[in-house]
Amino acid sequence: MSTVAIVGATGAVGEEFLRVLEERRFPVSRLIPLASAKSVGKSVAFRGESVPVKDLARFDFRGVDVAFFSAGADRSREHAPRAAAAGALVVDNSSAYRLDPDVPLVVPEVNLDAAKSHKGIVSNPNCSTILLVLVLAPIQRHVAIRRVIVSTYQAVSGSGARGLAELSRQIDEDKAGAPPTLEVYPDPIASNVIPFVQAFGDAGLTTEEWKMIKETRRILDLPTLPVTATCVRVPVRRAHSEAVNVELARAATPDEVRGWLRTAPGVRVTDDPARLEFPTPRDAEGKDDVLVGRIRRDPSRETAIDLFLSGDQLRKGAALNAVQIAEALAVSAPAGASRT
Amino acid sequence: MSTVAIVGATGAVGEEFLRVLEERRFPVSRLIPLASAKSVGKSVAFRGESVPVKDLARFDFRGVDVAFFSAGADRSREHAPRAAAAGALVVDNSSAYRLDPDVPLVVPEVNLDAAKSHKGIVSNPNCSTILLVLVLAPIQRHVAIRRVIVSTYQAVSGSGARGLAELSRQIDEDKAGAPPTLEVYPDPIASNVIPFVQAFGDAGLTTEEWKMIKETRRILDLPTLPVTATCVRVPVRRAHSEAVNVELARAATPDEVRGWLRTAPGVRVTDDPARLEFPTPRDAEGKDDVLVGRIRRDPSRETAIDLFLSGDQLRKGAALNAVQIAEALAVSAPAGASRT
């Protein structure tokens, strides 16, 4: 049994952590929700009980077995090292350590072995990247991937509870004929799509686009894989979707690709044009698996495949993946055993 | 001055035709709104007057100078030939004649010359295709395009007034906690994206995807251009957007591409990351120009460019383009002169 801390317990991902830990009967002996001082006084519900939130800044991590961090990169950089130093296994959902060569970046179905070399911190990848590599890895096992071109359809839950509130408020404003008020996004998100996620980075790409490129390469262990991404926010509440063009070293039929994906863990093939069956974010909501469909030969290149995927951004894109990492490390190594 | 018939006058595109004809002071001496028998009794508003709708099936096109058809492919196939035979210039917004070698498929800014060989019918391209070729053609004039990979974000107005009503009704149902009722789309469109537009066609692609591929080749006069598309419906009311990867015969800088597009007719470059300036469908709403931005080098291929565009689906994607065709033919040739 474990003492489990959740940093950012009052956010959208934090709430999903509580749900996933309950559903999967993670062996929690004591749950400690942590957040910034302004959340002290709040409580979270876990296994039918109300658990008061504690102040992260003043919390001593000694005695904590697993600490899930989901409170932004700054807070992870400040507090994750001291949590790890105090003996906790930190699974960090922020971008703080994702490209740090000393911190493994892990999707358990894809590169669990990498996790075993951790030094106290394991990084949980970007949500869009997790969904993408779950589908790319089973293909790469059969035929080498030469290039990936992805366009995303990202839900507002990626911006946390504030993103959900922004969409909901703007839908009401639209209905009332009032101009949309902007708090989270630079443009309205209701009845709109925004080809901009998070911030602009190098070379005209957004930081989200760079994450998808660099983290995909790292998780697949293909450091020079050509990848390009256009990341777009859409007025969907919870699950992300991606249109993906995958160029392969040799031509593969859609049936071959479907076969590889059908046996892949964490993936559900949802692909029957005759029955109008394809992935949608509403269908992916609340599901553990990433849904993949619209698998077809790219008519512009014989060796390329087009496909479409949807996955729950808060679940496999965040909380579930992190909990799976903790489960795998707890099972494969007693607490502390693999740390140096 | 012209006698102008609008077939499908009571639909979403029909209404936009009335607005565009008014705004552009198209020389209408008499306006004749036509629709199916069940719309007889309705009226449309034009230049402050209420004009009664007539029954298309029983209407005699003699004396009509221009007939805009926007009532679906079946109705165009049935009635456009007799309108043309009666002497009207038909501009057909349906898919009926788009790939017919005897009917020019025209975006005036791109291939107006093709229109001049018409035999009574000119075809207005698919809405997503119009927006795409407006951006591709100015690039192609400077450097040959080798391949196009496009993912769309298509508004519900593409399904007409019923699509708009479906989104609006489902938003209300969502808010009330009621399950969404489905009339137009096979899945809910509120808080969802649907990677399926219109119907499934050959090789696992949708008919909409094949239209984008084949019409793009035809309009650009590049019959073997490699193009692939993933067409996705999004919960946006009115303007379509597209994430486009364009592979070129040689590397071009984003600045070069921006320069070519800045001087292109029908295109407005909206591209300044420092000011969070990029196209969105809400910004494109009601505008004549297609907005293009997020122009950047594809980090996965030196000779490729990524970009994002948004354009008003009802306007440049349909009514405006058709009216521009009629204007160009009326100016360049007296009524009837260019018909064989």
Side-chain angles (χ1 to χ4, degrees):
Chain A
M1 298 295 278
S2 307
T3 296
V4 174
I6 298 183
V7 178
T10 56
V13 175
E15 283 177 25
E16 198 61 29
F17 266 113
L18 298 170
R19 209 167 300 145
V20 170
L21 290 171
E22 278 189 18
E23 284 175 17
R24 297 177 71 86
R25 300 170 196 270
F26 194 91
V28 180
S29 52
R30 188 175 165 217
L31 181 93
I32 306 165
L34 299 169
S36 63
K38 72 177 197 307
S39 288
V40 173
K42 291 185 187 172
S43 295
V44 300
F46 184 65
R47 292 185 188 158
E49 283 178 44
S50 175
V51 190
V53 172
K54 296 193 175 190
D55 181 359
L56 167 63
R58 302 173 56 167
F59 181 73
D60 182 343
F61 280 89
R62 274 177 297 183
V64 171
D65 297 297
V66 181
F68 295 107
F69 272 69
S70 190
D74 288 345
R75 241 161 243 157
S76 289
R77 270 186 284 263
E78 190 176 348
H79 300 286
R82 67 180 185 89
L89 167 68
V90 172
V91 184
D92 181 28
N93 193 43
S94 84
S95 62
Y97 299 101
R98 286 185 187 147
L99 301 178
D100 183 333
D102 284 339
V103 176
L105 181 68
V106 177
V107 177
E109 294 88 341
V110 177
N111 66 337
L112 183 58
D113 278 354
K116 292 172 184 161
S117 65
H118 76 87
K119 298 170 182 171
I121 305 177
V122 178
S123 196
N124 205 43
N126 165 273
C127 45
S128 302
T129 308
I130 292 175
L131 306 178
L132 179 62
V133 298
L134 274 173
V135 168
L136 294 181
I139 297 174
Q140 167 74 20
R141 265 176 225 123
H142 289 89
V143 47
I145 295 174
R146 292 286 193 237
R147 186 185 180 205
V148 177
I149 298 165
V150 56
S151 304
T152 70
Y153 303 71
Q154 295 183 231
V156 294
S157 64
S159 314
R162 293 178 68 226
L164 286 154
E166 179 116 330
L167 173 58
S168 169
R169 189 186 65 248
Q170 290 177 353
I171 284 175
D172 290 345
E173 288 164 343
D174 261 7
K175 203 173 162 65
T181 54
L182 309 180
E183 288 180 14
V184 178
Y185 304 119
D187 287 88
I189 186 61
S191 191
N192 210 16
V193 308
I194 307 177
F196 164 77
V197 174
Q198 202 181 39
F200 275 102
D202 291 341
L205 278 77
T206 60
T207 48
E208 182 82 356
E209 287 155 358
W210 280 121
K211 285 178 192 173
M212 287 196 79
I213 295 167
K214 293 179 178 176
E215 295 181 23
T216 296
R217 290 174 180 160
R218 188 165 183 219
I219 299 164
L220 295 178
D221 199 16
L222 298 169
T224 62
L225 181 68
V227 181
T228 186
T230 300
C231 289
V232 181
R233 187 79 64 190
V234 297
V236 167
R237 281 188 293 270
R238 202 182 146 110
H240 286 358
S241 303
E242 304 175 21
V244 191
N245 181 276
V246 190
E247 198 169 320
L248 303 170
R250 65 160 176 87
T253 67
D255 273 343
E256 277 181 284
V257 176
R258 271 186 284 264
W260 303 335
L261 290 170
R262 270 203 192 95
T263 55
V267 175
R268 186 182 309 179
V269 175
T270 305
D271 192 14
D272 187 348
R275 298 171 58 191
L276 295 183
E277 201 180 274
F278 35 73
T280 70
R282 269 177 98 121
D283 280 340
E285 207 173 305
K287 292 203 174 72
D288 287 352
D289 289 340
V290 56
L291 309 182
V292 59
R294 296 296 324 273
I295 299 166
R296 59 204 192 275
R297 196 166 250 168
D298 168 356
S300 80
R301 182 144 308 180
E302 215 203 320
T303 53
I305 291 282
D306 282 307
L307 57 84
F308 191 84
L309 64 87
S310 298
D312 190 312
Q313 181 270 322
L314 292 175
R315 208 167 173 88
K316 184 59 189 175
L320 173 62
N321 194 72
V323 171
Q324 288 172 322
I325 291 172
E327 286 170 348
L329 292 176
V331 168
S332 62
S338 65
R339 293 171 221 166
T340 55
Chain B
M1 298 295 278
S2 307
T3 296
V4 174
I6 298 183
V7 178
T10 56
V13 175
E15 283 177 25
E16 198 61 27
F17 266 113
L18 299 170
R19 208 167 301 145
V20 170
L21 291 171
E22 279 189 20
E23 284 175 17
R24 297 177 72 87
R25 300 169 196 270
F26 194 90
V28 179
S29 52
R30 187 177 165 217
L31 182 93
I32 305 165
L34 299 169
S36 63
K38 72 177 196 308
S39 288
V40 173
K42 291 185 188 173
S43 296
V44 301
F46 184 66
R47 292 185 189 160
E49 284 177 43
S50 175
V51 189
V53 171
K54 297 193 174 191
D55 182 359
L56 167 63
R58 302 174 56 168
F59 182 72
D60 182 343
F61 280 90
R62 274 177 296 182
V64 170
D65 298 297
V66 182
F68 295 108
F69 273 69
S70 190
D74 289 344
R75 241 161 245 157
S76 289
R77 270 187 284 263
E78 190 176 349
H79 300 286
R82 69 180 185 87
L89 167 68
V90 172
V91 185
D92 180 28
N93 193 42
S94 84
S95 62
Y97 299 101
R98 287 186 188 144
L99 301 179
D100 183 333
D102 283 340
V103 176
L105 181 69
V106 178
V107 177
E109 295 88 341
V110 176
N111 67 336
L112 183 58
D113 278 354
K116 292 173 184 163
S117 65
H118 76 87
K119 299 172 182 171
I121 305 177
V122 179
S123 197
N124 205 43
N126 165 273
C127 46
S128 302
T129 309
I130 293 176
L131 306 178
L132 180 63
V133 297
L134 275 172
V135 168
L136 294 181
I139 297 174
Q140 168 74 19
R141 266 177 224 123
H142 289 89
V143 48
I145 294 174
R146 292 284 195 240
R147 186 184 180 206
V148 177
I149 298 164
V150 56
S151 304
T152 70
Y153 302 72
Q154 295 183 231
V156 294
S157 65
S159 314
R162 294 177 66 226
L164 287 154
E166 179 117 330
L167 173 58
S168 169
R169 189 186 64 248
Q170 290 178 352
I171 284 174
D172 290 344
E173 288 164 342
D174 260 7
K175 203 172 161 67
T181 54
L182 309 181
E183 288 180 14
V184 178
Y185 303 118
D187 288 87
I189 186 61
S191 191
N192 210 15
V193 308
I194 306 178
F196 164 78
V197 175
Q198 202 180 37
F200 274 102
D202 291 340
L205 277 77
T206 60
T207 48
E208 182 83 356
E209 286 156 358
W210 280 120
K211 286 179 192 172
M212 288 196 78
I213 293 167
K214 293 179 179 177
E215 296 181 24
T216 296
R217 290 174 179 160
R218 189 165 182 221
I219 299 164
L220 295 178
D221 198 17
L222 298 169
T224 61
L225 181 68
V227 181
T228 187
T230 300
C231 289
V232 181
R233 187 79 64 191
V234 296
V236 167
R237 281 188 293 268
R238 202 182 147 109
H240 286 358
S241 302
E242 303 176 21
V244 190
N245 182 277
V246 189
E247 198 168 320
L248 303 170
R250 66 161 175 86
T253 67
D255 273 343
E256 278 182 284
V257 176
R258 272 186 284 265
W260 303 334
L261 290 170
R262 272 205 191 94
T263 56
V267 175
R268 187 182 308 178
V269 175
T270 305
D271 193 15
D272 188 348
R275 298 171 58 191
L276 294 184
E277 202 180 274
F278 37 71
T280 70
R282 270 177 98 122
D283 281 340
E285 208 173 304
K287 292 203 175 75
D288 287 352
D289 290 339
V290 56
L291 310 182
V292 59
R294 296 297 326 272
I295 300 166
R296 60 205 193 274
R297 196 166 250 168
D298 168 356
S300 81
R301 183 145 309 181
E302 214 203 322
T303 55
I305 291 283
D306 283 307
L307 57 84
F308 192 84
L309 64 86
S310 298
D312 191 311
Q313 181 271 321
L314 293 174
R315 207 168 176 87
K316 185 59 189 173
L320 173 62
N321 194 72
V323 171
Q324 287 172 322
I325 290 171
E327 286 171 348
L329 292 176
V331 168
S332 61
S338 64
R339 294 169 220 168
T340 54

